[in-house]
Amino acid sequence: MSERLDAYLAHRGYGTRSESRNLIRSGRVRLGGRVCRDPGRHVDGPVQVNGQVVEDGPDSATLLVHKPLGLACSHDPAEAPLLEELYPENLRHLGIEPAGRLDRATTGLLICTTDGALIHRLTNPRRHIVKRYRIRYIGTLSARAIERVAKGLALVDDDRPALPAVLELPSAGLATLHLREGRHHQVRRMIQELGGEVVELHRDRIGSLNLPADLPAGAVRDLTDADRKQLVEEPADMAEAWAALDHDRGQLTE
Ligand code: URA
């Protein structure tokens, strides 16, 4: 469905909706070569303002976002500040959605896109796209934390255990969790189940795509073709860990 003329102009830098309505009513806008004074007309041909052709602009977008602390992955203004405030203004009307949400207090790599198939690919647990979370926690994790996570951790308030996952405990208070699914507050709930409390949470990899080191918190850039390929690749450094886990799991269910 094409956009209304007032929205079309507002999204292409001709002021706010009400400013673009005034522009249209003033008779300086042509649609399909004819003056159009109706802001509600749907755009079905070339648009000109003061005789200049308005460039059509992108109709889709896929962004790589470094989510900073404090933004909500929501469209509800009551939850502001919102992640969408980071999107370039000329793309905000496109209906970009994050591929899975990060909590307000979580930072890191997020893919935001108009491509529903990509969102499905990245978020469907059956596609096995692994996300890596770096965690700082307080408390003491259960002695068998790594095995419990590998078997599929039972979660309070959830009738299904988490899918088997890989937990690494490099030193006291630090953990890395590799997950193939993304349930609500999953990392925080898993760490809580294991006896700890998350105090910092950062996602730094999806598939084998790392959060670019030169992309500061709050910055956004287009996803390149190379990034897109990496997103759906299994990271080589984890192949052995997943193979062992899937093997054990296969034996358990045989
Ligand atoms: N797990 C969480 O608990 N929070 C996030 O933001 C992402 C994964």
PDB file of all heavy atoms in Angstrom, residues 101-103 106 133 183 185-189 201, ligand 1:
ATOM      1  N   ARG A 101      14.384  -9.340  20.983  1.00  0.00           N
ATOM      2  CA  ARG A 101      14.561  -8.144  21.807  1.00  0.00           C
ATOM      3  C   ARG A 101      15.717  -8.281  22.771  1.00  0.00           C
ATOM      4  O   ARG A 101      16.021  -9.386  23.206  1.00  0.00           O
ATOM      5  CB  ARG A 101      13.306  -7.907  22.633  1.00  0.00           C
ATOM      6  CG  ARG A 101      12.141  -7.573  21.764  1.00  0.00           C
ATOM      7  CD  ARG A 101      10.901  -7.449  22.597  1.00  0.00           C
ATOM      8  NE  ARG A 101       9.822  -6.948  21.763  1.00  0.00           N
ATOM      9  CZ  ARG A 101       8.834  -6.194  22.204  1.00  0.00           C
ATOM     10  NH1 ARG A 101       8.774  -5.857  23.468  1.00  0.00           N
ATOM     11  NH2 ARG A 101       7.900  -5.781  21.389  1.00  0.00           N
ATOM     12  N   LEU A 102      16.328  -7.164  23.096  1.00  0.00           N
ATOM     13  CA  LEU A 102      17.243  -7.128  24.239  1.00  0.00           C
ATOM     14  C   LEU A 102      16.568  -6.281  25.316  1.00  0.00           C
ATOM     15  O   LEU A 102      15.892  -5.291  24.993  1.00  0.00           O
ATOM     16  CB  LEU A 102      18.582  -6.489  23.840  1.00  0.00           C
ATOM     17  CG  LEU A 102      19.462  -7.277  22.855  1.00  0.00           C
ATOM     18  CD1 LEU A 102      20.751  -6.513  22.545  1.00  0.00           C
ATOM     19  CD2 LEU A 102      19.797  -8.671  23.396  1.00  0.00           C
ATOM     20  N   ASP A 103      16.758  -6.655  26.575  1.00  0.00           N
ATOM     21  CA  ASP A 103      16.174  -5.880  27.675  1.00  0.00           C
ATOM     22  C   ASP A 103      16.741  -4.470  27.675  1.00  0.00           C
ATOM     23  O   ASP A 103      17.846  -4.234  27.191  1.00  0.00           O
ATOM     24  CB  ASP A 103      16.546  -6.503  29.033  1.00  0.00           C
ATOM     25  CG  ASP A 103      16.068  -7.933  29.169  1.00  0.00           C
ATOM     26  OD1 ASP A 103      15.092  -8.289  28.493  1.00  0.00           O
ATOM     27  OD2 ASP A 103      16.705  -8.685  29.945  1.00  0.00           O
ATOM     28  N   THR A 106      20.221  -4.401  28.804  1.00  0.00           N
ATOM     29  CA  THR A 106      21.196  -5.208  28.055  1.00  0.00           C
ATOM     30  C   THR A 106      21.773  -4.358  26.928  1.00  0.00           C
ATOM     31  O   THR A 106      21.066  -3.568  26.310  1.00  0.00           O
ATOM     32  CB  THR A 106      20.506  -6.453  27.454  1.00  0.00           C
ATOM     33  OG1 THR A 106      19.894  -7.194  28.505  1.00  0.00           O
ATOM     34  CG2 THR A 106      21.499  -7.348  26.719  1.00  0.00           C
ATOM     35  N   TYR A 133      26.388 -14.320  24.793  1.00  0.00           N
ATOM     36  CA  TYR A 133      26.165 -13.291  25.817  1.00  0.00           C
ATOM     37  C   TYR A 133      27.331 -13.282  26.801  1.00  0.00           C
ATOM     38  O   TYR A 133      27.713 -14.337  27.323  1.00  0.00           O
ATOM     39  CB  TYR A 133      24.875 -13.579  26.593  1.00  0.00           C
ATOM     40  CG  TYR A 133      23.642 -13.495  25.725  1.00  0.00           C
ATOM     41  CD1 TYR A 133      23.158 -14.630  25.074  1.00  0.00           C
ATOM     42  CD2 TYR A 133      22.992 -12.293  25.528  1.00  0.00           C
ATOM     43  CE1 TYR A 133      22.040 -14.555  24.261  1.00  0.00           C
ATOM     44  CE2 TYR A 133      21.874 -12.216  24.712  1.00  0.00           C
ATOM     45  CZ  TYR A 133      21.407 -13.345  24.078  1.00  0.00           C
ATOM     46  OH  TYR A 133      20.302 -13.269  23.260  1.00  0.00           O
ATOM     47  N   ARG A 183      14.265 -16.716  24.798  1.00  0.00           N
ATOM     48  CA  ARG A 183      13.015 -16.501  25.543  1.00  0.00           C
ATOM     49  C   ARG A 183      13.152 -15.232  26.377  1.00  0.00           C
ATOM     50  O   ARG A 183      14.253 -14.755  26.626  1.00  0.00           O
ATOM     51  CB  ARG A 183      12.753 -17.695  26.468  1.00  0.00           C
ATOM     52  CG  ARG A 183      12.605 -18.962  25.688  1.00  0.00           C
ATOM     53  CD  ARG A 183      12.126 -20.075  26.585  1.00  0.00           C
ATOM     54  NE  ARG A 183      12.549 -21.354  26.059  1.00  0.00           N
ATOM     55  CZ  ARG A 183      12.437 -22.494  26.710  1.00  0.00           C
ATOM     56  NH1 ARG A 183      11.929 -22.515  27.933  1.00  0.00           N
ATOM     57  NH2 ARG A 183      12.845 -23.616  26.146  1.00  0.00           N
ATOM     58  N   HIS A 185      13.807 -12.638  28.919  1.00  0.00           N
ATOM     59  CA  HIS A 185      14.792 -12.533  30.019  1.00  0.00           C
ATOM     60  C   HIS A 185      15.558 -13.841  30.229  1.00  0.00           C
ATOM     61  O   HIS A 185      15.890 -14.192  31.371  1.00  0.00           O
ATOM     62  CB  HIS A 185      14.113 -12.175  31.350  1.00  0.00           C
ATOM     63  CG  HIS A 185      13.379 -10.865  31.334  1.00  0.00           C
ATOM     64  ND1 HIS A 185      13.852  -9.744  30.694  1.00  0.00           N
ATOM     65  CD2 HIS A 185      12.197 -10.488  31.892  1.00  0.00           C
ATOM     66  CE1 HIS A 185      12.993  -8.745  30.853  1.00  0.00           C
ATOM     67  NE2 HIS A 185      11.980  -9.176  31.562  1.00  0.00           N
ATOM     68  N   GLN A 186      15.822 -14.554  29.166  1.00  0.00           N
ATOM     69  CA  GLN A 186      16.322 -15.922  29.331  1.00  0.00           C
ATOM     70  C   GLN A 186      17.657 -16.002  30.080  1.00  0.00           C
ATOM     71  O   GLN A 186      17.839 -16.851  30.957  1.00  0.00           O
ATOM     72  CB  GLN A 186      16.465 -16.619  27.970  1.00  0.00           C
ATOM     73  CG  GLN A 186      16.929 -18.061  28.134  1.00  0.00           C
ATOM     74  CD  GLN A 186      16.709 -18.904  26.927  1.00  0.00           C
ATOM     75  OE1 GLN A 186      16.061 -18.466  25.980  1.00  0.00           O
ATOM     76  NE2 GLN A 186      17.240 -20.103  26.932  1.00  0.00           N
ATOM     77  N   VAL A 187      18.599 -15.142  29.713  1.00  0.00           N
ATOM     78  CA  VAL A 187      19.912 -15.237  30.361  1.00  0.00           C
ATOM     79  C   VAL A 187      19.774 -14.926  31.852  1.00  0.00           C
ATOM     80  O   VAL A 187      20.299 -15.646  32.716  1.00  0.00           O
ATOM     81  CB  VAL A 187      20.912 -14.273  29.686  1.00  0.00           C
ATOM     82  CG1 VAL A 187      22.220 -14.240  30.457  1.00  0.00           C
ATOM     83  CG2 VAL A 187      21.151 -14.675  28.232  1.00  0.00           C
ATOM     84  N   ARG A 188      19.049 -13.853  32.149  1.00  0.00           N
ATOM     85  CA  ARG A 188      18.889 -13.467  33.562  1.00  0.00           C
ATOM     86  C   ARG A 188      18.222 -14.595  34.345  1.00  0.00           C
ATOM     87  O   ARG A 188      18.607 -14.913  35.479  1.00  0.00           O
ATOM     88  CB  ARG A 188      18.042 -12.185  33.675  1.00  0.00           C
ATOM     89  CG  ARG A 188      18.758 -10.979  33.082  1.00  0.00           C
ATOM     90  CD  ARG A 188      17.880  -9.729  33.025  1.00  0.00           C
ATOM     91  NE  ARG A 188      18.389  -8.812  32.016  1.00  0.00           N
ATOM     92  CZ  ARG A 188      19.377  -7.960  32.206  1.00  0.00           C
ATOM     93  NH1 ARG A 188      19.942  -7.848  33.388  1.00  0.00           N
ATOM     94  NH2 ARG A 188      19.821  -7.197  31.213  1.00  0.00           N
ATOM     95  N   ARG A 189      17.211 -15.235  33.737  1.00  0.00           N
ATOM     96  CA  ARG A 189      16.502 -16.314  34.439  1.00  0.00           C
ATOM     97  C   ARG A 189      17.404 -17.533  34.608  1.00  0.00           C
ATOM     98  O   ARG A 189      17.361 -18.223  35.635  1.00  0.00           O
ATOM     99  CB  ARG A 189      15.237 -16.681  33.669  1.00  0.00           C
ATOM    100  CG  ARG A 189      14.161 -15.595  33.800  1.00  0.00           C
ATOM    101  CD  ARG A 189      13.145 -15.686  32.695  1.00  0.00           C
ATOM    102  NE  ARG A 189      12.385 -16.902  32.732  1.00  0.00           N
ATOM    103  CZ  ARG A 189      11.882 -17.509  31.652  1.00  0.00           C
ATOM    104  NH1 ARG A 189      12.099 -17.021  30.447  1.00  0.00           N
ATOM    105  NH2 ARG A 189      11.187 -18.597  31.773  1.00  0.00           N
ATOM    106  N   LEU A 201      24.896  -7.352  31.232  1.00  0.00           N
ATOM    107  CA  LEU A 201      24.635  -8.323  30.161  1.00  0.00           C
ATOM    108  C   LEU A 201      24.883  -7.659  28.812  1.00  0.00           C
ATOM    109  O   LEU A 201      24.341  -6.575  28.542  1.00  0.00           O
ATOM    110  CB  LEU A 201      23.182  -8.813  30.276  1.00  0.00           C
ATOM    111  CG  LEU A 201      22.726  -9.869  29.273  1.00  0.00           C
ATOM    112  CD1 LEU A 201      23.657 -11.066  29.260  1.00  0.00           C
ATOM    113  CD2 LEU A 201      21.307 -10.330  29.624  1.00  0.00           C
TER     114      LEU A 201
HETATM  115  N1  URA B   1      18.494 -12.660  27.923  1.00  0.00           N
HETATM  116  C1  URA B   1      18.106 -11.740  28.841  1.00  0.00           C
HETATM  117  O1  URA B   1      17.855 -12.077  29.982  1.00  0.00           O
HETATM  118  N2  URA B   1      18.036 -10.472  28.457  1.00  0.00           N
HETATM  119  C2  URA B   1      18.336 -10.041  27.211  1.00  0.00           C
HETATM  120  O2  URA B   1      18.260  -8.846  26.945  1.00  0.00           O
HETATM  121  C3  URA B   1      18.743 -11.009  26.278  1.00  0.00           C
HETATM  122  C4  URA B   1      18.814 -12.318  26.653  1.00  0.00           C
END
